[in-house]
């Protein structure tokens, strides 16, 4: 467990192709990576437990063994730590009984001390051990109960169970968010490596030796970090569990919606795992360019409030009448957008401004503090679509201007902008504006201060796009968890106000191309799940 | 018993811990113009010609190991002396350091000159307190006499030696685990490559040598390398310090040329087997396969002969076992030791050694079953060559060979269980039934 582990090199689109021989058949694989990734690139899956593409290689699970032809004959090597070399000869279980037996032996060893309590384990259904067993194993156990298991982990956590067996380490409280089950731990040390190499805070350690090894924190210390829930993602078994999701739902009953977190301008790629019309958990979605496999607790736990305190839908015609009335009077109109507006919302807003003519003015931004990137999965900027605002020509930092000149306007229309919640003292100037229309997902401070408040869909419930701080255009997908079907996306309401309702997000995106040259050549459906790097951005 | 040239143990019992005595016995004569006039390459070639092989257990040619250390890498070269002697039955380094610490220092200066090194670390097992005391005393004397420190003997060569006390973990005898421990990390073997010769301690080129290897250097340098090579076998030169223990009359440390017949070692050097007839010999420490009495009669103590008999020369630690012992008890001891000393990194070793230990415990407690031995042999098949370091094979090897060669002992124990023939009940549900 030294600090000298190296990060694995992952293949990219530009990787040079080299020829290697897999089971005596020539295949072209990416040449600048490890064998495990190279085989994956040509469709050969290698079972692994400790290897994680975004963690340093530690090579301790010994599950990914393959045979390599070397100067001293065919040797077993671990695929995760063997670099690809042109012309190398590899044998997988497809042709080599030795590899098959070695993998089976490793799997058997791994299950020696692992409790077979899958029916009550929270990880069941997405457990690496289960997957490996079902795919390659399904071997009958050769053990007798007398051989026993060995739970000599932390002496403080030992107990004698109802059958008189020495056990230990159940539901160990590691910190405010994570629980540990020492029995289920297979000592892959992924969580240790995550905390050390990615989080940069050595809060977890493997203590002890041999099969009494156990994961622990330093004495008296707690596992408490902005990214500590990631250890539950990287855990291949049910050892690390998140308190918020523990025993909430069986994972195979969850549906998954790939989308983008709008809490932060990095736009971490996420899965919204939902069932029964509610979100149960948020999981990071792998995107090597953006958030790799990591997600901050802030973004992850934000979903708990998505369904709460929602603003109900109001009649559209009330808003339309109000807006057209102010326009007819010749009063000035302020259109203010918040950071979670998608490109489609902004396109509709621009169209509304065009239809209102010179009397309307665009505002946007946030009063929240802008931090700095943490290098993991947060850019520190709470205004998620800031780059999108710039692209669409919507001001992204002139809210102070709005509050200063509040007296000039007859009508204020805010979209997804909780300006009163962010800074009530500055926003109080806005009460000078006679008509305050609030389009918001939540019944927040601004909605309370509005003269007319109408619910719109939350970003987790809409189709759309956003541009993140790396200038990557990313796609949001609608998770079917909207509390009321009548609630509509903001872009629909805004475009209808403008007199030309967008039929769909794709339609709205097409219109966005009119305002942003960078988007004009693209179509909504061709944006990949990992996003599209726009011109002028840096990867 | 022919009189053997003493390379490492010549000063035993002569009070050579004191530098004056050591110098009177011819010590530090090598630290002279002759050494400093030799280039590094000449010196490495000199050692290569002596056919010296590493005495720690693996038997890698020392000169070749030195030649792998890269020159001009821009990083310091470290020499680390592996004095973490933890293998069961091995106690030679303990006595070598205790009796003759100055020879180790002299050897280190020679190695330091050969490798262009500035500093050496003696990683000494934590329990060897008298050794550490003896070395520290010798180091102080050597510094005072100007053999260590800045500008040794008026040359530009500077060399320091530090003693690092380990915490008594067996695995820290593995060179990369030793380096991890030296750096202050958990003593677990590293993934290789890179090998320590390229990137070892503090990511610098590092040469890890056994105590005995280093202590052979002064003799080789003061004599001709060919003279040293002649004493051994064609593939491995010189003498070897053997530790003989177990059921012999005079257990202890004996120096003998490589290739000495095993029975000569037992009968002439150690005074013969006591307490019964010879049953088995472990020729190279606790982790090697045992030889039966018939095999021991024809074996010679060198790398090739023992390898051909499917055991290993190891560190030259012979454990002699008489026929009053049951091999299952011995194997249970090994199971206890290796399952405790596994570093817990690789799955087969971490879980497998513990499982074997629990199975052996059951057999010894009279709760064994038919088929246990076959299962153990099969489990040991899963150890071979799949882990980072060879600790798992250190238990897997003995389990395979003990069960193969002394099967009767195991059957005797298993028969003590009245239910030994009871078949294993398949309690688990097979997924195939449902899906």
């Amino acid at each position: 467990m030294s600090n000298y582990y190296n990060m694995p090199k992952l293949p990219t689109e530009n990787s040079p192709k080299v020829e290697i021989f897999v089971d005596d058949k020539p295949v072209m694989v990416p040449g600048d990576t490890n064998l495990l990734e190279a085989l994956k690139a040509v469709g050969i899956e290698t079972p692994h437990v400790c290897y994680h593409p975004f963690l340093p290689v530690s090579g301790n699970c010994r599950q990914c063994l393959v045979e390599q032809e070397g100067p001293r004959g065919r040797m077993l090597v671990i695929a995760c730590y063997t670099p690809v070399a042109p012309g190398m000869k590899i044998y997988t279980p497809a042709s080599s009984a030795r590899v098959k037996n070695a993998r089976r032996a490793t799997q058997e060893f791994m299950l020696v001390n692992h409790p077979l309590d899958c029916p009550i384990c929270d990880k069941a259904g997405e457990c690496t051990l289960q997957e490996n067993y079902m795919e390659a194993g399904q071997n009958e156990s050769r053990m007798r109960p007398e051989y026993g298991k060995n739970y000599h982990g932390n002496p403080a956590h030992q107990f004698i169970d109802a059958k008189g067996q020495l056990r230990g380490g159940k539901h160990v409280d590691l910190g405010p968010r994570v629980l540990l089950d020492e029995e289920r731990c297979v000592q892959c040390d992924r969580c240790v490596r995550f905390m050390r190499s990615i989080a940069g805070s050595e809060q977890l350690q493997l203590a002890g030796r041999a099969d009494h090894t156990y994961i622990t924190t330093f004495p008296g210390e707690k596992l408490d970090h902005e990214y500590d829930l990631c250890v539950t993602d990287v855990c291949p078994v049910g050892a690390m569990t998140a308190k918020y999701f523990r025993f909430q739902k069986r994972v195979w009953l969850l549906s998954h919606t790939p989308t983008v977190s709008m809490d932060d301008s990095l736009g971490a790629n996420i899965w919204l795992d939902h069932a029964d019309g509610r979100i149960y958990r948020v999981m990071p979605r792998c995107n090597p360019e953006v958030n790799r496999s990591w997600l901050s607790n802030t973004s992850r736990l934000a979903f708990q409030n998505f369904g709460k305190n929602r603003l109900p839908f109001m009649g559209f015609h009330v808003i339309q009448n109000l807006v057209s009335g102010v326009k007819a009077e010749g009063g000035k109109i302020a259109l203010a957008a918040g950071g979670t507006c998608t490109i489609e919302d902004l396109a509709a807003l621009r169209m509304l401004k065009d239809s209102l003519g010179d009397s309307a003015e665009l505002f946007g931004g946030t009063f929240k503090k802008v931090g700095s990137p943490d290098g993991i999965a947060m850019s520190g900027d709470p205004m998620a679509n800031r780059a999108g605002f710039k692209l669409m020509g919507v001001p992204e930092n002139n809210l102070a201007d709005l509050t200063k000149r509040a007296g000039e306007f007859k009508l204020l229309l805010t979209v997804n902008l909780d300006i009163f919640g962010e800074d009530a003292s500055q926003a109080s100037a806005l009460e000078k504006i006679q008509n305050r229309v609030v389009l918001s997902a939540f019944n927040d401070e601004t909605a309370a201060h509005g003269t007319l408040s109408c619910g719109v869909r939350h970003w987790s419930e809409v189709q759309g796009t956003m541009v993140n701080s790396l200038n990557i255009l990313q796609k949001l997908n609608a998770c079917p968890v909207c509390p009321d079907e009548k609630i509509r996306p903001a872009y629909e309401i805004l475009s209808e106000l403008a007199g030309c309702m967008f039929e769909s997000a794709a339609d709205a995106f097409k219109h966005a191309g009119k305002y942003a040259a960078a988007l004009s050549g693209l179509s909504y459906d061709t944006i990949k799940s990992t996003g599209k790097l726009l011109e002028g951005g840096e990867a | 018993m022919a009189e053997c040239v003493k390379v490492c143990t010549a000063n035993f019992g002569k009070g050579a811990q004191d530098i004056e005595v050591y110098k009177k016995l011819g010590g530090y004569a090598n630290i002279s113009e002759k050494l400093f006039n030799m280039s590094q390459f000449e010196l490495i070639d000199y050692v290569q010609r002596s056919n010296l092989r590493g005495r720690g257990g693996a038997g890698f040619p020392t000169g070749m190991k030195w030649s792998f250390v890269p020159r001009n890498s821009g990083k310091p070269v470290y020499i680390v002396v592996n004095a973490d002697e933890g293998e069961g039955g091995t106690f030679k380094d303990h006595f070598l350091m205790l009796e003759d610490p100055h020879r180790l220092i002299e050897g280190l200066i020679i190695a330091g000159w050969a490798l262009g090194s500035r500093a050496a670390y003696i990683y000494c097992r934590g329990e060897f307190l008298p050794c550490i005391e003896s070395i520290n005393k010798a180091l102080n004397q050597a510094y005072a006499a100007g053999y260590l420190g800045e500008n040794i003997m008026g040359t530009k060569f500077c060399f320091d030696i530090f003693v690092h006390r380990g915490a008594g973990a067996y695995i820290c005898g593995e060179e990369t685990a030793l380096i991890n421990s030296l750096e202050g990390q958990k003593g677990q073997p590293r993934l290789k490559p890179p090998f320590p010769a390229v990137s070892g301690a503090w990511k610098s080129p590092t040469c890890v040598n056994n105590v005995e290897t280093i202590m052979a250097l002064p003799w080789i340098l003061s004599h001709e390398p060919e003279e040293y090579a002649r004493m051994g076998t064609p593939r491995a030169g010189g003498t070897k310090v053997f530790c003989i223990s177990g059921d012999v009359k005079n257990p202890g440390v004996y120096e003998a040329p490589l290739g000495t017949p095993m029975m000569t070692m037992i009968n002439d050097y150690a005074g013969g087997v006591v307490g019964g007839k010879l049953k088995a010999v472990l020729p190279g420490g606790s982790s090697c396969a045992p030889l039966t009495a018939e095999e021991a009669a024809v074996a010679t103590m060198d790398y090739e002969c023992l390898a051909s008999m499917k055991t290993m020369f190891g560190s030259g630690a012979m454990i002699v076992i008489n026929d009053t012992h049951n091999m299952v008890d011995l194997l249970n001891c090994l199971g206890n030791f290796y399952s405790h000393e596994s570093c817990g990194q690789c799955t087969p070793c971490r879980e497998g050694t513990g499982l074997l230990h629990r199975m052996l415990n059951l057999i010894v407690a009279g709760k064994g079953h038919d088929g246990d031995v076959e299962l153990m042999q099969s489990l040991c098949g899963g150890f071979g060559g799949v882990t980072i370091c060879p600790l798992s094979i250190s238990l897997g090897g003995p389990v395979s060979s003990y069960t193969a060669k002394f099967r009767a002992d195991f059957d005797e124990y298993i028969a003590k269980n009245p239910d030994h023939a009871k078949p294993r009940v398949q309690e688990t549900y097979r997924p195939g039934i449902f899906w």
Side-chain angles (χ1 to χ4, degrees):
Chain A
M1 227 194 349
S2 90
N3 286 333
Y4 294 122
Y5 291 159
N6 297 319
M7 282 298 220
K9 279 193 192 131
L10 301 180
T12 61
E13 287 168 10
N14 306 325
S15 297
K17 295 279 184 209
V18 299
E19 189 182 50
I20 67 168
F21 296 89
V22 179
D23 300 326
D24 294 324
K25 285 192 280 290
V27 287
M28 298 299 283
V29 298
D32 58 352
T33 181
N34 57 49
L35 201 49
L36 194 145
E37 294 287 347
L39 291 176
K40 198 195 239 171
V42 293
I44 302 170
E45 284 292 333
T46 312
H48 55 272
V49 177
C50 72
Y51 173 79
H52 189 287
F54 302 108
L55 289 177
V57 178
S58 90
N60 60 30
C61 74
R62 320 308 284 184
Q63 187 72 74
C64 61
L65 292 163
V66 292
E67 238 180 341
Q68 184 187 358
E69 183 87 51
R72 283 186 285 169
R74 280 157 72 159
M75 305 267 282
L76 286 169
V77 295
I78 47 172
C80 65
Y81 196 66
T82 308
V84 172
M88 74 199 298
K89 288 183 180 159
I90 298 300
Y91 300 91
T92 67
S95 72
S96 166
R98 189 175 165 208
V99 177
K100 199 172 176 184
N101 290 338
R103 285 189 190 171
R104 179 160 67 189
T106 305
Q107 195 167 74
E108 184 174 34
F109 285 129
M110 204 165 279
L111 291 167
V112 163
N113 281 329
H114 187 82
L116 298 180
D117 60 354
C118 306
I120 58 155
C121 175
D122 223 25
K123 199 82 171 186
E126 51 180 13
C127 166
T128 313
L129 279 189
Q130 271 186 333
E131 283 165 17
N132 292 349
Y133 174 78
M134 295 307 285
E135 277 167 25
Q138 299 207 22
N139 305 303
E140 204 138 324
S141 171
R142 299 190 288 173
M143 305 295 145
R144 285 173 182 269
E146 297 96 296
Y147 302 156
K149 294 181 184 273
N150 205 3
Y151 301 120
H152 293 291
N154 192 336
H157 301 148
Q158 287 177 6
F159 63 91
I160 308 285
D161 75 356
K163 288 182 185 167
Q165 222 176 359
L166 176 67
R167 296 178 53 191
K170 304 305 277 187
H171 45 79
V172 177
D173 194 352
L174 280 186
R177 286 169 289 274
V178 180
L179 276 178
L180 168 67
D181 188 321
E182 283 169 13
E183 271 186 353
R184 292 184 190 143
C185 178
V186 293
Q187 283 92 28
C188 69
D189 90 343
R190 270 188 185 181
C191 52
V192 177
R193 280 177 280 146
F194 173 81
M195 291 308 289
R196 174 184 295 154
S197 312
I198 307 297
S201 169
E202 290 209 34
Q203 298 186 5
L204 289 176
Q205 267 302 340
L206 277 166
R209 286 196 305 220
D211 52 4
H212 351 293
T213 310
Y214 62 98
I215 298 280
T216 185
T217 53
F218 287 100
E221 300 284 326
K222 290 281 176 202
L223 173 67
D224 190 0
H225 191 269
E226 176 61 27
Y227 286 89
D228 60 7
L229 281 172
C230 285
V231 302
T232 65
D233 302 340
V234 297
C235 185
V237 293
M240 295 275 185
T241 44
K243 285 182 184 173
Y244 81 90
F245 182 66
R246 204 173 142 85
F247 303 135
Q248 295 298 304
K249 199 74 180 168
R250 277 309 197 179
V251 293
W252 55 84
L253 299 175
L254 293 169
S255 308
H256 315 282
T257 304
T259 187
V260 172
S261 170
M262 294 285 269
D263 279 328
D264 181 87
S265 74
L266 190 67
N269 289 210
I270 53 174
W271 291 105
L272 295 176
D273 290 0
H274 62 92
D276 324 329
R278 59 168 277 213
I279 300 171
Y280 276 89
R281 66 170 177 182
V282 175
M283 294 289 274
R285 183 160 58 91
C286 174
N287 188 339
E289 305 294 329
V290 181
N291 58 326
R292 290 172 288 169
S293 283
W294 319 129
L295 188 61
S296 67
N297 290 346
T298 319
S299 304
R300 191 191 296 258
L301 298 175
F303 83 92
Q304 290 169 331
N305 295 324
F306 286 179
K308 287 183 198 158
N309 197 22
R310 291 296 289 263
L311 195 58
F313 183 67
M314 282 267 290
F316 166 75
H317 295 292
V318 190
I319 306 170
Q320 198 177 27
N321 292 342
L322 192 63
V323 172
S324 53
V326 172
K327 190 190 170 194
E329 282 172 24
K332 284 187 82 177
I333 297 174
L335 304 171
T340 58
C341 286
T342 61
I343 294 284
E344 287 70 17
D345 295 343
L346 298 177
L349 203 64
R350 283 287 306 264
M351 202 161 77
L352 179 61
K353 190 207 171 251
D354 291 351
S355 75
L356 294 174
D358 291 339
S359 64
E361 202 170 331
L362 286 172
F363 294 93
T366 181
F367 284 133
K368 283 190 200 154
K369 206 167 151 266
V370 177
S372 52
D374 63 2
I376 308 175
M378 292 261 270
S379 71
D381 184 353
M383 186 154 169
N385 201 9
R386 191 184 290 276
F389 273 60
K390 285 181 187 160
L391 197 69
M392 293 294 293
V394 179
E396 36 79 31
N397 196 15
N398 64 348
L399 285 187
D401 197 25
L402 172 66
T403 52
K404 212 185 290 165
R405 294 164 45 208
E408 297 175 19
F409 297 103
K410 273 274 178 291
L411 186 140
L412 168 70
L413 188 142
T414 65
V415 190
N416 291 332
L417 175 66
D418 186 12
I419 189 165
F420 282 87
E422 286 171 6
D423 192 336
S425 59
Q426 289 200 56
S428 59
L430 298 175
E431 293 191 62
K432 283 185 246 168
I433 303 176
Q434 196 182 353
N435 301 300
R436 298 183 295 277
V437 180
V438 178
L439 298 183
S440 170
F442 299 109
N443 190 5
D444 51 23
E445 286 294 305
T446 313
H449 284 85
T451 55
L452 191 59
S453 303
C454 173
V456 292
R457 290 209 177 188
H458 185 251
W459 58 257
S460 61
E461 299 149 10
V462 296
Q463 303 279 110
T465 51
M466 64 88 75
V467 182
N468 77 354
S469 56
L470 306 171
N471 216 21
I472 297 174
L473 180 69
Q474 306 196 99
K475 195 149 97 173
L476 285 83
N477 284 308
C479 183
V481 293
C482 188
D484 184 355
E485 281 307 306
K486 280 187 292 190
I487 298 179
R488 298 159 68 193
Y491 67 80
E492 268 189 36
I493 298 176
L494 293 171
S495 57
E496 200 175 346
L497 282 176
C500 162
M501 200 181 103
F502 296 151
E503 295 296 325
S504 64
D507 189 22
F509 186 76
K510 213 187 295 167
H511 275 81
K514 290 181 194 161
Y515 301 106
L519 304 178
S520 57
L522 304 169
S523 89
Y524 182 79
D525 295 326
T526 56
I527 303 167
K528 284 190 298 182
S529 62
T530 50
K532 160 129 184 70
L533 182 67
L534 296 178
E535 296 285 316
E538 52 209 289
Chain B
M1 180 170 84
E3 193 53 43
C4 160
V5 179
K6 295 274 191 286
V7 172
C8 296
T9 59
N11 296 345
F12 271 35
K14 293 179 185 166
Q17 290 94 334
D18 190 74
I19 193 163
E20 293 307 322
V21 178
Y22 181 69
K23 276 164 96 170
K24 254 181 225 156
L25 292 165
Y28 287 121
N30 290 313
I31 313 303
S32 64
E33 291 292 308
K34 187 193 167 196
L35 175 69
F36 295 124
N37 282 338
M38 273 173 123
S39 78
Q40 295 183 1
F41 298 101
E42 277 167 3
L43 188 49
I44 291 177
D45 181 57
Y46 197 91
V47 174
Q48 260 174 339
R49 276 191 287 149
S50 78
N51 224 347
L52 173 66
R53 281 171 71 168
R55 300 294 194 228
F60 197 79
T62 306
M64 198 192 284
K65 194 181 215 175
W66 288 4
S67 67
F68 289 157
V69 176
R71 315 280 146 170
N72 310 322
S73 67
K75 289 176 180 169
V77 177
Y78 292 110
I79 300 172
V80 178
V81 180
N82 186 346
D84 190 75
E85 190 176 42
E87 176 88 11
T90 315
F91 42 83
K92 62 182 177 66
D93 296 346
H94 183 200
F95 280 99
L96 288 170
M97 290 187 290
L98 194 64
E99 291 285 333
D100 208 356
H102 282 291
R103 191 184 289 275
L104 177 63
I105 294 167
E106 187 180 348
L108 271 175
I109 298 169
I110 297 166
W113 179 254
L115 292 166
S117 172
R118 177 67 178 78
Y121 291 86
I122 301 173
Y123 185 95
C124 192
R125 186 173 159 185
E127 287 92 329
F128 289 174
L129 281 173
C131 281
I132 294 169
E133 210 172 292
S134 159
I135 292 173
N136 276 332
K137 214 172 115 199
L139 280 176
N140 287 338
Q141 289 175 345
Y143 271 107
Y147 291 118
L148 288 174
E150 304 284 324
N151 299 342
I152 296 164
M153 310 290 289
T155 62
K156 284 186 177 169
F157 181 52
C158 309
F159 194 63
D160 286 308
I161 300 176
F162 305 95
V163 179
H164 183 94
R165 207 182 140 199
Y170 171 74
I171 192 59
C172 289
E174 201 274 352
E175 55 181 2
T176 52
L178 187 149
I179 289 169
N180 266 354
S181 173
L182 185 68
E183 290 181 7
Q185 301 177 41
K186 197 174 177 184
Q188 289 185 321
R190 293 180 186 172
L191 289 174
K192 282 155 267 182
F195 289 93
V198 179
S199 176
W202 300 282
K203 287 190 173 177
S204 302
T206 304
C207 194
V208 185
N209 283 118
N210 185 257
V211 172
E212 195 191 334
T213 318
I214 298 287
M215 284 177 81
L217 293 173
W219 193 93
I220 295 173
L221 206 72
S222 55
H223 297 71
E224 282 302 307
E226 284 75 17
E227 200 176 326
Y228 185 80
R230 263 200 303 281
M231 286 195 291
T233 61
R235 303 237 350 241
T239 61
K240 175 83 183 81
V241 180
F242 294 96
C243 354
I244 309 180
S245 60
D247 301 317
V248 289
K249 195 172 171 211
N250 302 317
V253 177
Y254 299 96
E255 186 160 9
L258 282 167
T260 309
M262 186 178 273
M263 293 317 289
T264 312
M265 295 298 307
I266 295 171
N267 292 329
D268 297 354
Y269 285 79
V273 184
V274 292
K277 281 202 312 200
L278 181 66
K279 181 174 188 178
V281 182
L282 302 180
S286 60
S287 61
C288 67
L291 296 178
T292 58
E294 299 83 61
E295 288 170 322
V298 294
T300 57
M301 293 304 286
D302 57 73
Y303 295 96
E304 298 80 29
C305 172
L306 291 176
S308 72
M309 298 175 99
K310 298 215 161 41
T311 177
M312 58 181 190
F313 184 72
S315 51
M318 289 168 65
I319 304 175
V320 181
I321 297 155
N322 70 20
D323 59 359
T324 60
H325 296 289
N326 193 309
M327 297 306 275
V328 186
D329 295 327
L330 294 171
L331 191 57
N332 190 27
C333 282
L334 292 188
N336 189 5
F337 178 73
Y338 286 106
S339 66
H340 182 259
E341 293 293 344
S342 166
C343 80
Q345 210 175 183
C346 305
T347 306
C349 175
R350 180 183 67 233
E351 312 288 353
T353 52
L355 177 64
L356 286 174
H357 175 220
R358 294 200 293 279
M359 292 176 72
L360 285 165
N361 260 343
L362 283 173
I363 294 175
V364 169
K367 292 176 189 163
H369 289 87
D370 294 352
D372 275 5
V373 172
E374 284 76 14
L375 178 56
M376 284 200 295
Q377 287 171 336
S378 166
L379 289 171
C380 292
F383 285 160
V386 302
T387 46
I388 295 175
C389 80
L391 190 137
S392 61
I393 312 169
S394 300
L395 180 59
V399 169
S400 308
S401 51
Y402 281 48
T403 49
K405 290 184 181 174
F406 303 97
R407 182 62 194 257
D409 289 12
F410 289 84
D411 289 343
E412 184 191 321
Y413 257 114
I414 289 172
K416 286 182 185 170
N417 182 6
D419 295 334
H420 65 86
K422 205 169 131 192
R424 179 181 174 277
V425 183
Q426 183 63 44
E427 285 178 345
T428 49
Y429 299 103
R430 295 220 49 206
I433 299 169
F434 300 107
W435 288 292

